[in-house]
Amino acid sequence: MPEQRLFLERRSYRRRRMMDAVRMLPLLCTVLWLVVPLMWPKGEQVAEHMPLSLALWYLFVIWMLAITASFALWRRIRRSDGEESRAEDPVEAGADA
């Protein structure tokens, strides 16, 4: 008997991947924030000090990128939810035609 392939509709597959990205975003941001202590010199490298302002800029940029990415993902998910609800509602689908 041939193996049946699992078919996932493209729209639901993309929505699931976007939700996976939403779930991974906090983890990614945490990892990027944990890099900050690695930016400071150790041992013999003390002469090459890193300014605190540079580390603060790094944290601020990561924070702003996280906000922007979460907003963009939210808008895409909201848009795809709206398309799904319009496709499932026969009254609205008939009104658009």
Side-chain angles (χ1 to χ4, degrees):
M1 182 171 161
E3 233 180 271
Q4 287 186 347
R5 289 184 157 200
L6 177 64
F7 175 74
L8 296 175
E9 186 180 348
R10 181 174 283 165
R11 186 179 298 152
S12 65
Y13 178 79
R14 285 183 181 166
R15 185 174 189 283
R16 287 180 185 184
R17 295 299 72 85
M18 283 189 284
M19 289 305 296
D20 289 344
V22 168
R23 289 182 189 109
M24 291 300 292
L25 191 60
L27 180 64
L28 176 65
C29 292
T30 302
V31 168
L32 289 173
W33 275 40
L34 290 175
V35 171
V36 173
L38 298 175
M39 296 168 79
W40 275 286
K42 297 176 187 168
E44 298 173 5
Q45 301 173 347
V46 175
E48 304 173 18
H49 73 282
M50 169 172 231
L52 182 60
S53 61
L54 185 61
L56 290 175
W57 270 108
Y58 175 81
L59 292 176
F60 179 73
V61 168
I62 296 300
W63 180 58
M64 289 305 293
L65 288 174
I67 291 171
T68 305
S70 61
F71 180 72
L73 286 169
W74 170 76
R75 285 194 49 127
R76 273 195 82 165
I77 290 170
R78 193 179 100 193
R79 188 174 358 138
S80 69
D81 283 347
E83 290 172 1
E84 281 182 15
S85 67
R86 272 188 260 127
E88 291 174 1
D89 190 10
V91 174
E92 270 190 38
D96 289 341

